[in-house]
Coordinates of all heavy atoms in Angstrom, one line a residue:
V28 N 3.6 28.8 -53.6 CA 4.3 28.1 -54.6 C 5.5 28.9 -55.0 O 5.5 30.1 -55.2 CB 3.4 28.0 -55.9 CG1 4.1 27.3 -57.0 CG2 2.1 27.2 -55.5
A29 N 6.6 28.2 -55.0 CA 7.9 28.8 -55.3 C 7.9 29.2 -56.8 O 7.5 28.4 -57.6 CB 9.1 27.9 -55.0
E30 N 8.4 30.5 -57.1 CA 8.5 30.9 -58.5 C 9.7 30.4 -59.2 O 9.7 30.2 -60.4 CB 8.4 32.4 -58.6 CG 7.0 33.0 -58.2 CD 6.9 34.4 -58.4 OE1 7.6 35.0 -59.2 OE2 6.0 35.0 -57.8
I31 N 10.8 30.2 -58.4 CA 12.0 29.7 -58.9 C 12.1 28.2 -58.5 O 12.0 27.9 -57.4 CB 13.2 30.4 -58.4 CG1 13.1 31.9 -58.8 CG2 14.5 29.8 -58.9 CD1 14.2 32.8 -58.1
P32 N 12.2 27.3 -59.5 CA 12.2 25.9 -59.2 C 13.4 25.5 -58.4 O 14.5 25.9 -58.7 CB 12.2 25.2 -60.6 CG 12.7 26.2 -61.5 CD 12.3 27.5 -61.0
G33 N 13.2 24.7 -57.3 CA 14.3 24.3 -56.5 C 15.1 23.2 -57.2 O 14.7 22.7 -58.2
P34 N 16.3 23.0 -56.7 CA 17.1 21.9 -57.3 C 16.4 20.6 -57.3 O 15.6 20.3 -56.5 CB 18.4 21.9 -56.4 CG 18.0 22.6 -55.1 CD 16.9 23.5 -55.5
Y35 N 16.6 19.9 -58.4 CA 16.0 18.6 -58.6 C 14.5 18.6 -59.1 O 13.9 17.6 -59.4 CB 16.0 17.6 -57.4 CG 17.4 17.6 -56.7 CD1 17.6 18.3 -55.6 CD2 18.4 16.9 -57.3 CE1 18.9 18.3 -55.0 CE2 19.7 16.9 -56.7 CZ 19.9 17.6 -55.6 OH 21.1 17.6 -55.0
S36 N 14.0 19.9 -59.2 CA 12.6 20.0 -59.6 C 12.6 20.2 -61.1 O 13.6 20.5 -61.8 CB 12.0 21.3 -59.0 OG 11.9 21.2 -57.6
I37 N 11.4 19.9 -61.7 CA 11.2 20.2 -63.1 C 11.4 21.7 -63.4 O 10.9 22.5 -62.6 CB 9.8 19.8 -63.6 CG1 9.6 18.3 -63.5 CG2 9.4 20.4 -65.0 CD1 8.2 17.8 -63.7
G38 N 12.3 22.1 -64.3 CA 12.6 23.5 -64.6 C 13.9 23.9 -63.9 O 14.3 25.0 -64.2
S39 N 14.4 23.1 -63.0 CA 15.7 23.6 -62.4 C 16.9 23.1 -63.3 O 16.7 22.4 -64.3 CB 15.8 22.9 -61.0 OG 16.3 21.6 -61.1
D40 N 18.1 23.6 -62.9 CA 19.3 23.3 -63.7 C 20.0 22.0 -63.1 O 20.9 21.5 -63.7 CB 20.3 24.4 -63.7 CG 19.7 25.6 -64.4 OD1 18.9 25.4 -65.4 OD2 20.1 26.8 -64.1
L41 N 19.6 21.6 -61.9 CA 20.3 20.5 -61.2 C 19.3 19.3 -61.2 O 18.3 19.3 -60.5 CB 20.7 20.9 -59.8 CG 21.4 19.8 -59.0 CD1 22.8 19.5 -59.6 CD2 21.6 20.3 -57.6
W42 N 19.7 18.3 -62.0 CA 18.9 17.0 -62.1 C 17.4 17.3 -62.2 O 16.6 16.9 -61.3 CB 19.2 16.1 -60.9 CG 20.6 15.6 -60.9 CD1 21.7 16.0 -60.2 CD2 21.1 14.6 -61.8 NE1 22.8 15.3 -60.5 CE2 22.5 14.4 -61.5 CE3 20.5 13.7 -62.8 CZ2 23.3 13.5 -62.2 CZ3 21.4 12.8 -63.4 CH2 22.7 12.7 -63.1
P43 N 17.0 18.1 -63.2 CA 15.6 18.4 -63.3 C 14.7 17.2 -63.4 O 15.0 16.2 -64.1 CB 15.5 19.2 -64.7 CG 16.8 18.9 -65.4 CD 17.8 18.6 -64.3
G44 N 13.6 17.2 -62.6 CA 12.6 16.1 -62.6 C 12.9 15.0 -61.7 O 12.0 14.1 -61.5
L45 N 14.0 15.0 -61.0 CA 14.4 13.9 -60.1 C 13.4 13.9 -58.9 O 13.0 12.8 -58.5 CB 15.8 14.0 -59.7 CG 16.5 12.8 -59.1 CD1 16.4 11.6 -60.1 CD2 17.9 13.0 -58.7
S46 N 13.1 15.0 -58.4 CA 12.2 15.1 -57.2 C 10.8 14.5 -57.6 O 10.2 13.8 -56.8 CB 12.1 16.4 -56.6 OG 11.6 17.4 -57.5
R47 N 10.4 14.9 -58.8 CA 9.0 14.4 -59.3 C 9.1 12.9 -59.4 O 8.1 12.2 -59.1 CB 8.6 15.1 -60.6 CG 7.3 14.6 -61.1 CD 6.1 14.8 -60.2 NE 6.0 16.3 -59.9 CZ 5.2 17.1 -60.6 NH1 4.4 16.6 -61.6 NH2 5.1 18.3 -60.3
L48 N 10.2 12.4 -59.9 CA 10.3 10.9 -60.1 C 10.2 10.2 -58.8 O 9.4 9.2 -58.6 CB 11.6 10.5 -60.8 CG 11.9 9.0 -60.9 CD1 10.8 8.3 -61.7 CD2 13.2 8.8 -61.7
V49 N 10.8 10.7 -57.8 CA 10.8 10.1 -56.4 C 9.4 10.2 -55.9 O 8.8 9.3 -55.3 CB 11.8 10.8 -55.5 CG1 11.6 10.3 -54.0 CG2 13.2 10.5 -55.9
E50 N 8.7 11.4 -56.1 CA 7.3 11.5 -55.7 C 6.4 10.5 -56.3 O 5.6 9.9 -55.6 CB 6.9 13.0 -56.0 CG 5.5 13.3 -55.6 CD 5.1 14.7 -56.1 OE1 5.9 15.6 -56.1 OE2 3.9 14.9 -56.4
E51 N 6.6 10.3 -57.6 CA 5.7 9.4 -58.3 C 6.0 7.9 -57.9 O 5.1 7.1 -57.8 CB 5.8 9.6 -59.8 CG 5.4 10.9 -60.4 CD 3.9 11.1 -60.2 OE1 3.1 10.2 -59.8 OE2 3.4 12.3 -60.5
L52 N 7.3 7.6 -57.7 CA 7.6 6.3 -57.2 C 6.9 6.0 -55.8 O 6.4 4.9 -55.6 CB 9.1 6.1 -57.0 CG 9.9 6.0 -58.4 CD1 11.4 6.2 -58.1 CD2 9.6 4.7 -59.1
G53 N 6.9 7.1 -55.0 CA 6.2 6.9 -53.7 C 4.7 6.7 -53.9 O 4.1 5.8 -53.2
E54 N 4.1 7.4 -54.9 CA 2.7 7.1 -55.1 C 2.4 5.7 -55.6 O 1.4 5.1 -55.3 CB 2.1 8.2 -56.1 CG 2.1 9.6 -55.5 CD 1.8 10.7 -56.4 OE1 1.4 10.4 -57.6 OE2 1.8 11.9 -56.0
L55 N 3.3 5.3 -56.5 CA 3.2 3.9 -57.0 C 3.3 2.9 -55.8 O 2.5 1.9 -55.7 CB 4.2 3.6 -58.1 CG 4.2 2.2 -58.7 CD1 2.9 1.8 -59.2 CD2 5.3 2.1 -59.7
S56 N 4.3 3.1 -55.0 CA 4.4 2.3 -53.8 C 3.2 2.3 -52.9 O 2.8 1.2 -52.4 CB 5.7 2.7 -53.0 OG 6.8 2.5 -53.7
Q57 N 2.6 3.5 -52.8 CA 1.4 3.6 -51.9 C 0.3 2.7 -52.4 O -0.3 2.0 -51.7 CB 1.0 5.0 -51.8 CG -0.2 5.3 -50.9 CD -0.7 6.7 -51.0 OE1 -0.9 7.2 -52.0 NE2 -0.9 7.3 -49.8
V58 N 0.0 2.8 -53.7 CA -1.1 2.0 -54.3 C -0.7 0.5 -54.3 O -1.6 -0.3 -53.9 CB -1.3 2.5 -55.8 CG1 -2.3 1.5 -56.4 CG2 -1.9 3.9 -55.8
A59 N 0.5 0.2 -54.5 CA 0.9 -1.3 -54.4 C 0.7 -1.8 -53.0 O 0.2 -2.9 -52.8 CB 2.4 -1.4 -54.9
G60 N 1.1 -0.9 -52.0 CA 0.9 -1.3 -50.6 C -0.6 -1.5 -50.3 O -0.9 -2.4 -49.6
K61 N -1.4 -0.6 -50.8 CA -2.9 -0.8 -50.6 C -3.4 -2.1 -51.2 O -4.2 -2.8 -50.6 CB -3.6 0.4 -51.2 CG -3.4 1.7 -50.4 CD -4.2 2.9 -51.1 CE -3.9 4.2 -50.5 NZ -4.2 4.3 -49.1
L62 N -2.9 -2.4 -52.4 CA -3.4 -3.6 -53.1 C -2.9 -4.8 -52.3 O -3.7 -5.8 -52.1 CB -2.8 -3.6 -54.5 CG -3.4 -4.6 -55.5 CD1 -4.9 -4.5 -55.6 CD2 -2.8 -4.3 -56.9
I63 N -1.7 -4.8 -51.8 CA -1.2 -6.0 -51.0 C -2.0 -6.0 -49.7 O -2.4 -7.1 -49.3 CB 0.3 -5.8 -50.8 CG1 1.1 -5.9 -52.1 CG2 0.8 -6.8 -49.8 CD1 2.5 -5.5 -52.1
G64 N -2.1 -4.9 -49.1 CA -2.8 -4.8 -47.8 C -4.3 -5.2 -47.9 O -4.9 -5.6 -46.9
N65 N -4.8 -5.1 -49.1 CA -6.2 -5.4 -49.4 C -6.4 -6.9 -49.8 O -7.4 -7.2 -50.4 CB -6.8 -4.4 -50.4 CG -8.3 -4.2 -50.2 OD1 -8.8 -4.2 -49.1 ND2 -9.0 -3.9 -51.3
G66 N -5.3 -7.6 -49.7 CA -5.3 -9.1 -50.1 C -5.5 -9.3 -51.6 O -6.0 -10.3 -52.0
G67 N -5.1 -8.3 -52.4 CA -5.2 -8.4 -53.8 C -6.6 -8.0 -54.4 O -6.7 -7.9 -55.6
E68 N -7.5 -7.7 -53.5 CA -8.8 -7.2 -53.9 C -8.7 -5.8 -54.5 O -8.0 -5.0 -53.9 CB -9.8 -7.3 -52.8 CG -10.2 -8.6 -52.3 CD -11.0 -9.4 -53.4 OE1 -11.8 -8.8 -54.2 OE2 -10.8 -10.6 -53.5
T69 N -9.3 -5.5 -55.6 CA -9.1 -4.2 -56.2 C -10.1 -3.2 -55.7 O -9.9 -2.0 -55.9 CB -9.3 -4.3 -57.8 OG1 -10.5 -4.9 -58.1 CG2 -8.2 -5.2 -58.3
A70 N -11.2 -3.6 -55.1 CA -12.2 -2.6 -54.6 C -11.7 -2.1 -53.2 O -11.6 -2.8 -52.2 CB -13.5 -3.3 -54.4
H71 N -11.3 -0.8 -53.2 CA -10.7 -0.2 -52.0 C -11.9 0.3 -51.2 O -12.9 0.7 -51.7 CB -9.7 0.9 -52.4 CG -8.9 1.3 -51.2 ND1 -8.9 2.6 -50.7 CD2 -8.0 0.6 -50.5 CE1 -8.0 2.7 -49.7 NE2 -7.4 1.5 -49.5
Y72 N -11.7 0.4 -49.9 CA -12.8 0.9 -49.0 C -13.1 2.4 -49.3 O -14.3 2.8 -48.9 CB -12.4 0.7 -47.5 CG -11.3 1.7 -47.0 CD1 -11.6 3.0 -46.6 CD2 -10.0 1.3 -47.0 CE1 -10.6 3.8 -46.1 CE2 -9.0 2.1 -46.6 CZ -9.3 3.4 -46.1 OH -8.3 4.2 -45.7
D73 N -12.2 3.1 -49.9 CA -12.5 4.5 -50.2 C -13.4 4.7 -51.5 O -13.6 5.8 -51.9 CB -11.3 5.4 -50.2 CG -10.4 5.0 -51.4 OD1 -10.7 4.2 -52.2 OD2 -9.3 5.6 -51.5
G74 N -13.7 3.5 -52.1 CA -14.5 3.6 -53.3 C -13.8 3.5 -54.6 O -14.4 3.4 -55.7
T75 N -12.4 3.6 -54.5 CA -11.7 3.6 -55.8 C -11.3 2.2 -56.2 O -11.3 1.3 -55.4 CB -10.4 4.5 -55.6 OG1 -9.5 3.9 -54.6 CG2 -10.7 5.9 -55.3
D76 N -10.9 2.1 -57.4 CA -10.5 0.8 -58.0 C -8.9 0.8 -58.0 O -8.3 1.5 -58.7 CB -11.0 0.6 -59.4 CG -10.7 -0.7 -60.0 OD1 -9.6 -0.8 -60.6 OD2 -11.4 -1.7 -59.8
L77 N -8.4 -0.2 -57.3 CA -6.9 -0.2 -57.1 C -6.2 -0.6 -58.4 O -5.1 -0.2 -58.6 CB -6.5 -1.1 -55.9 CG -6.9 -0.6 -54.6 CD1 -6.6 -1.6 -53.5 CD2 -6.3 0.8 -54.3
R78 N -6.9 -1.4 -59.2 CA -6.3 -1.8 -60.5 C -6.1 -0.5 -61.4 O -5.1 -0.3 -62.0 CB -7.1 -2.8 -61.3 CG -6.7 -3.1 -62.7 CD -7.6 -4.1 -63.4 NE -7.6 -5.4 -62.8 CZ -6.7 -6.3 -63.0 NH1 -5.7 -6.1 -64.0 NH2 -6.7 -7.5 -62.4
A79 N -7.2 0.3 -61.4 CA -7.1 1.5 -62.2 C -6.0 2.5 -61.6 O -5.3 3.1 -62.4 CB -8.5 2.2 -62.2
R80 N -6.0 2.6 -60.3 CA -5.0 3.5 -59.7 C -3.6 3.0 -59.9 O -2.7 3.8 -60.1 CB -5.3 3.6 -58.2 CG -6.5 4.4 -57.9 CD -6.9 4.4 -56.4 NE -5.9 5.1 -55.6 CZ -5.9 5.2 -54.3 NH1 -6.9 4.6 -53.6 NH2 -5.0 5.8 -53.6
L81 N -3.4 1.6 -59.9 CA -2.1 1.1 -60.2 C -1.6 1.5 -61.6 O -0.5 1.9 -61.8 CB -2.1 -0.4 -60.0 CG -0.8 -1.1 -60.2 CD1 0.2 -0.8 -59.0 CD2 -0.9 -2.7 -60.2
A82 N -2.6 1.3 -62.6 CA -2.2 1.7 -64.0 C -1.9 3.2 -64.1 O -0.9 3.5 -64.8 CB -3.4 1.3 -64.9
E83 N -2.6 4.0 -63.4 CA -2.4 5.5 -63.4 C -1.0 5.8 -62.9 O -0.2 6.6 -63.4 CB -3.4 6.2 -62.6 CG -4.8 6.2 -63.2 CD -5.9 6.8 -62.3 OE1 -5.5 7.3 -61.2 OE2 -7.0 6.8 -62.8
E84 N -0.6 5.2 -61.7 CA 0.6 5.5 -61.1 C 1.8 4.9 -61.9 O 2.9 5.5 -62.0 CB 0.7 5.0 -59.7 CG -0.3 5.8 -58.8 CD -0.2 7.3 -58.8 OE1 0.8 7.8 -59.2 OE2 -1.2 7.9 -58.5
I85 N 1.6 3.7 -62.6 CA 2.6 3.2 -63.5 C 2.9 4.2 -64.6 O 4.0 4.5 -65.0 CB 2.3 1.8 -64.0 CG1 2.4 0.8 -62.9 CG2 3.1 1.4 -65.2 CD1 1.9 -0.6 -63.2
A86 N 1.8 4.8 -65.1 CA 1.9 5.8 -66.2 C 2.6 7.0 -65.7 O 3.5 7.5 -66.5 CB 0.5 6.1 -66.7
D87 N 2.3 7.4 -64.5 CA 3.0 8.6 -64.0 C 4.5 8.4 -63.8 O 5.3 9.2 -64.1 CB 2.4 9.0 -62.6 CG 1.0 9.5 -62.7 OD1 0.5 9.7 -63.8 OD2 0.4 9.8 -61.6
V88 N 4.8 7.2 -63.4 CA 6.3 6.8 -63.2 C 7.0 6.7 -64.5 O 8.1 7.2 -64.7 CB 6.4 5.5 -62.4 CG1 7.9 5.0 -62.5 CG2 6.0 5.7 -60.9
L89 N 6.3 6.1 -65.5 CA 6.9 6.1 -66.9 C 7.2 7.5 -67.4 O 8.2 7.7 -68.0 CB 6.0 5.3 -67.8 CG 5.9 3.8 -67.6 CD1 4.8 3.2 -68.5 CD2 7.2 3.1 -68.0
A90 N 6.2 8.4 -67.2 CA 6.4 9.7 -67.7 C 7.5 10.4 -67.0 O 8.4 11.1 -67.6 CB 5.1 10.5 -67.5
A91 N 7.6 10.2 -65.7 CA 8.7 10.9 -64.9 C 10.0 10.3 -65.3 O 11.0 11.1 -65.4 CB 8.4 10.7 -63.4
M92 N 10.1 9.0 -65.5 CA 11.4 8.4 -65.9 C 11.8 8.9 -67.2 O 13.0 9.2 -67.4 CB 11.2 6.9 -65.9 CG 11.1 6.2 -64.6 SD 11.2 4.4 -64.7 CE 9.9 4.0 -65.8
S93 N 10.9 9.0 -68.2 CA 11.2 9.5 -69.5 C 11.7 10.9 -69.4 O 12.7 11.3 -70.1 CB 10.0 9.4 -70.4 OG 10.2 9.9 -71.7
F94 N 11.0 11.8 -68.6 CA 11.4 13.2 -68.5 C 12.8 13.3 -67.9 O 13.6 14.1 -68.4 CB 10.4 13.9 -67.6 CG 10.7 15.4 -67.5 CD1 10.2 16.3 -68.4 CD2 11.5 15.8 -66.4 CE1 10.6 17.6 -68.3 CE2 11.8 17.2 -66.3 CZ 11.4 18.1 -67.2
V95 N 13.1 12.5 -66.8 CA 14.4 12.6 -66.2 C 15.5 12.1 -67.2 O 16.5 12.8 -67.3 CB 14.4 11.7 -64.9 CG1 15.9 11.5 -64.4 CG2 13.6 12.4 -63.8
A96 N 15.2 11.1 -67.9 CA 16.2 10.6 -68.9 C 16.5 11.7 -69.9 O 17.7 12.0 -70.2 CB 15.7 9.3 -69.5
D97 N 15.4 12.3 -70.5 CA 15.6 13.3 -71.5 C 16.2 14.5 -71.0 O 17.1 15.2 -71.7 CB 14.3 13.6 -72.2 CG 13.7 12.5 -73.1 OD1 14.5 11.7 -73.5 OD2 12.5 12.5 -73.4
S98 N 15.8 15.0 -69.8 CA 16.3 16.2 -69.3 C 17.7 16.2 -68.7 O 18.2 17.2 -68.4 CB 15.3 16.7 -68.2 OG 14.0 16.8 -68.7
N99 N 18.2 15.0 -68.5 CA 19.5 14.9 -67.9 C 20.5 14.2 -68.8 O 21.6 13.7 -68.3 CB 19.4 14.2 -66.5 CG 18.6 15.0 -65.5 OD1 19.1 15.9 -65.0 ND2 17.3 14.7 -65.4
G100 N 20.2 14.1 -70.1 CA 21.2 13.6 -71.0 C 21.5 12.1 -70.9 O 22.6 11.6 -71.3
L101 N 20.5 11.3 -70.3 CA 20.8 9.9 -70.2 C 20.5 9.3 -71.6 O 19.8 9.8 -72.4 CB 19.9 9.3 -69.2 CG 20.0 9.8 -67.8 CD1 19.2 9.0 -66.8 CD2 21.5 9.8 -67.3
D102 N 21.2 8.1 -71.8 CA 21.1 7.5 -73.1 C 19.9 6.6 -73.2 O 19.9 5.5 -72.6 CB 22.4 6.6 -73.3 CG 22.5 6.0 -74.7 OD1 21.5 5.8 -75.4 OD2 23.7 5.8 -75.1
H103 N 18.9 7.0 -73.9 CA 17.6 6.3 -74.0 C 17.9 4.9 -74.6 O 17.2 3.9 -74.2 CB 16.6 7.0 -74.9 CG 15.6 7.7 -74.1 ND1 14.6 7.0 -73.5 CD2 15.4 9.0 -73.9 CE1 13.8 7.9 -72.8 NE2 14.3 9.1 -73.1
Q104 N 18.8 4.8 -75.6 CA 19.0 3.5 -76.3 C 19.6 2.5 -75.3 O 19.2 1.3 -75.2 CB 19.9 3.6 -77.5 CG 19.2 4.1 -78.7 CD 20.1 4.1 -79.9 OE1 21.3 4.3 -79.8 NE2 19.5 3.8 -81.1
E105 N 20.5 3.0 -74.5 CA 21.1 2.1 -73.4 C 20.1 1.7 -72.4 O 20.1 0.5 -71.9 CB 22.3 2.8 -72.8 CG 23.6 2.8 -73.6 CD 24.0 1.4 -74.0 OE1 24.1 0.5 -73.1 OE2 24.3 1.1 -75.2
I106 N 19.2 2.6 -72.0 CA 18.2 2.4 -71.0 C 17.2 1.3 -71.6 O 16.9 0.3 -70.9 CB 17.5 3.7 -70.6 CG1 18.4 4.5 -69.8 CG2 16.2 3.3 -69.9 CD1 17.9 5.9 -69.5
E107 N 16.8 1.5 -72.8 CA 15.8 0.6 -73.4 C 16.4 -0.8 -73.6 O 15.8 -1.8 -73.4 CB 15.3 1.1 -74.7 CG 14.3 2.3 -74.5 CD 13.9 3.0 -75.8 OE1 14.1 2.4 -76.9 OE2 13.4 4.1 -75.7
K108 N 17.7 -0.8 -74.0 CA 18.4 -2.1 -74.1 C 18.5 -2.9 -72.8 O 18.2 -4.1 -72.8 CB 19.9 -1.8 -74.6 CG 20.6 -3.0 -75.2 CD 21.8 -2.6 -76.0 CE 23.0 -3.2 -75.4 NZ 24.3 -2.7 -75.9
R109 N 18.8 -2.2 -71.8 CA 18.9 -2.8 -70.4 C 17.5 -3.3 -70.0 O 17.3 -4.3 -69.4 CB 19.6 -1.9 -69.4 CG 19.7 -2.6 -68.1 CD 20.3 -1.6 -67.0 NE 20.1 -2.2 -65.7 CZ 21.1 -2.7 -65.0 NH1 22.3 -2.9 -65.5 NH2 20.8 -3.2 -63.8
A110 N 16.5 -2.4 -70.2 CA 15.2 -2.7 -69.8 C 14.6 -3.9 -70.5 O 14.0 -4.8 -69.9 CB 14.2 -1.5 -70.1
E111 N 14.9 -4.1 -71.8 CA 14.5 -5.2 -72.5 C 15.2 -6.5 -72.0 O 14.5 -7.6 -71.9 CB 14.8 -5.1 -74.0 CG 13.8 -4.1 -74.7 CD 14.1 -3.8 -76.2 OE1 14.9 -4.6 -76.8 OE2 13.7 -2.8 -76.7
A112 N 16.5 -6.4 -71.7 CA 17.2 -7.6 -71.2 C 16.6 -8.0 -69.8 O 16.4 -9.2 -69.6 CB 18.7 -7.2 -71.1
K113 N 16.3 -7.0 -69.0 CA 15.8 -7.3 -67.7 C 14.4 -7.9 -67.8 O 14.1 -8.9 -67.1 CB 15.7 -6.0 -66.9 CG 15.1 -6.1 -65.5 CD 16.1 -6.8 -64.6 CE 17.1 -5.8 -64.1 NZ 17.9 -6.3 -62.9
R114 N 13.6 -7.3 -68.7 CA 12.3 -7.9 -69.0 C 12.3 -9.3 -69.4 O 11.5 -10.2 -69.0 CB 11.5 -7.0 -70.0 CG 10.2 -7.5 -70.5 CD 9.2 -7.6 -69.3 NE 8.0 -8.4 -69.7 CZ 6.9 -7.9 -70.0 NH1 6.7 -6.6 -70.0 NH2 5.9 -8.6 -70.3
D115 N 13.3 -9.6 -70.3 CA 13.5 -11.0 -70.8 C 13.8 -12.0 -69.6 O 13.3 -13.1 -69.6 CB 14.6 -11.1 -71.8 CG 14.3 -10.5 -73.1 OD1 13.1 -10.3 -73.4 OD2 15.2 -10.3 -73.9
T116 N 14.5 -11.5 -68.6 CA 14.8 -12.4 -67.5 C 13.5 -12.7 -66.7 O 13.4 -13.7 -66.1 CB 15.9 -11.8 -66.5 OG1 15.3 -10.7 -65.9 CG2 17.1 -11.5 -67.2
Y117 N 12.6 -11.7 -66.7 CA 11.3 -12.0 -66.0 C 10.5 -13.0 -66.7 O 9.7 -13.8 -66.0 CB 10.5 -10.7 -65.9 CG 11.1 -9.5 -65.1 CD1 10.8 -8.2 -65.4 CD2 12.1 -9.8 -64.2 CE1 11.4 -7.2 -64.7 CE2 12.7 -8.7 -63.5 CZ 12.4 -7.4 -63.8 OH 12.9 -6.4 -63.1
E118 N 10.5 -13.0 -68.0 CA 9.7 -14.0 -68.8 C 10.3 -15.4 -68.6 O 9.7 -16.3 -68.7 CB 9.7 -13.6 -70.3 CG 9.1 -12.2 -70.5 CD 7.6 -12.1 -70.2 OE1 6.9 -13.2 -70.1 OE2 7.1 -11.0 -70.0
Ligands
LIG206 MG1 1.0 10.0 -59.5

């Protein structure tokens, strides 16, 4: 384990948390792929529940997004405003 955080890692000075966000997005994609590949059935062959895993990975992505926004000086109000507008288009 590296003692000095690499760039883009949590604790670094360059875009802290960005690498974790990408990692978590990958995990979310993996579970979504399993769910799609499983024909929407939530019981996975490895014994896990894909609905629960999807919720966990969404939570991980939300946490990573929030960390990246806070740690890199992004405007939370602008982000939430755009997110709400985007969500409205889905409805
Ligand atoms: Mg995760």
Side-chain angles (χ1 to χ4, degrees):
V28 177
E30 290 188 21
I31 300 171
Y35 312 103
S36 298
I37 291 171
S39 81
D40 294 330
L41 182 63
W42 292 103
L45 198 58
S46 62
R47 177 61 61 93
L48 175 57
V49 171
E50 181 183 328
E51 295 295 353
L52 288 166
E54 291 173 5
L55 177 57
S56 294
Q57 182 186 47
V58 173
K61 288 179 188 301
L62 194 51
I63 294 166
N65 211 32
E68 290 295 324
T69 57
H71 195 243
Y72 71 87
D73 67 4
T75 62
D76 181 272
L77 293 174
R78 174 183 292 276
R80 288 175 66 184
L81 185 67
E83 289 172 2
E84 296 306 339
I85 287 172
D87 290 356
V88 168
L89 287 171
M92 289 191 303
S93 175
F94 183 87
V95 166
D97 286 342
S98 300
N99 293 281
L101 302 184
D102 187 333
H103 257 290
Q104 280 190 324
E105 283 301 312
I106 290 171
E107 286 172 17
K108 196 168 122 188
R109 182 183 166 104
E111 284 175 19
K113 179 74 80 170
R114 173 62 192 260
D115 285 347
T116 68
Y117 299 156
E118 300 295 340

